[in-house]
Amino acid sequence: MGEVTKEITKGNSDIFPIKPPDYGRFLVVSLGTGSAKAEEKYRAEDAAKWGLLGWLTNGGSTPLVDIFTQASSDVVDFHIATVFQSLQPEYNYLRIQDDTLGGIVSSVDIATEENLKDLVEVGEKLLKKPVSRVNLENGAFEPCLEITNEQALVRLAQTLSKEKRLRDIRSPNTPSKAKVKAKAK
């Protein structure tokens, strides 16, 4: 969104002209890579006693890496959700993420045939789940609509297709208009 807004502000001719913060015209699909089940792995009382090494490795995990990785994704989702929910085009933002993964499927670097099949199954199930959004009051990812992720993706695809047709009709660079201009010369 930031990069598109910069290009609009610069007047990039590849971007159809809209007012820079006109987020009602943005459609954003955010596909997560999935993450391990949000468990209460770390207790504040224990973490308060960790030294530098405890933050780097603790009980077979890497707390500092875990926290930064999850926080980065959460902050971006929270920011975008806030923008879209506050400016009223909240249905133009779709985040699809499974944060309940466990075992091997929660690892991003195991590319065995079995794990890839399991990941496909996870994705297919995720499509059937209801659309969820971050609750701006408590930060939890909660179901919010009566439609599935699959139905929401179809709706966004239809919106994009309609927008493309409208832009083609309005654009002076549409192939049929370009042919007419060429013949007129």
Side-chain angles (χ1 to χ4, degrees), residues 1-180:
M1 287 174 40
E3 291 302 314
V4 169
T5 301
K6 280 191 232 173
E7 293 302 315
I8 291 168
T9 303
K10 288 183 203 173
N12 184 332
S13 62
D14 291 335
I15 308 274
F16 204 79
I18 64 173
K19 295 174 187 159
D22 188 4
Y23 292 115
R25 300 282 310 275
F26 283 52
L27 294 176
V28 176
V29 177
S30 174
L31 302 175
T33 58
S35 62
K37 186 175 182 177
E39 301 170 5
E40 295 184 14
K41 283 169 95 169
Y42 312 112
R43 294 176 6 100
E45 295 83 16
D46 297 334
K49 299 171 190 166
W50 292 345
L52 178 62
L53 291 178
W55 280 99
L56 296 176
T57 180
N58 193 291
S61 63
T62 53
L64 196 59
V65 173
D66 293 346
I67 291 166
F68 276 118
T69 302
Q70 190 64 42
S72 175
S73 174
D74 289 347
V75 166
V76 170
D77 183 33
F78 193 85
H79 171 72
I80 295 173
T82 301
V83 167
F84 277 90
Q85 288 180 37
S86 66
L87 298 175
Q88 299 307 310
E90 76 178 286
Y91 300 111
N92 289 3
Y93 173 57
L94 176 63
R95 171 77 173 156
I96 299 178
Q97 167 74 335
D98 190 343
D99 58 3
T100 63
L101 300 178
I104 293 173
V105 293
S106 67
S107 177
V108 296
D109 60 354
I110 299 176
T112 63
E113 189 172 330
E114 180 183 354
N115 194 41
L116 293 175
K117 285 180 184 176
D118 290 344
L119 287 170
V120 167
E121 188 177 310
V122 166
E124 289 171 348
K125 287 179 182 175
L126 192 54
L127 285 173
K128 304 301 180 198
K129 288 185 178 182
V131 170
S132 297
R133 288 205 173 77
V134 66
N135 179 321
L136 298 180
E137 297 298 318
N138 63 23
F141 203 60
E142 302 171 342
C144 65
L145 293 177
E146 298 293 324
I147 64 172
T148 65
N149 288 315
E150 182 175 29
Q151 292 167 322
L153 284 169
V154 167
R155 185 185 69 207
L156 284 172
Q158 290 169 338
T159 302
L160 284 172
S161 179
K162 180 180 174 185
E163 180 68 22
K164 171 77 168 99
R165 285 192 303 272
L166 289 173
R167 287 183 184 194
D168 284 348
I169 290 169
R170 294 183 200 142
S171 174
N173 299 323
T174 300
S176 62
K177 289 182 183 178
K179 287 179 187 175
V180 170

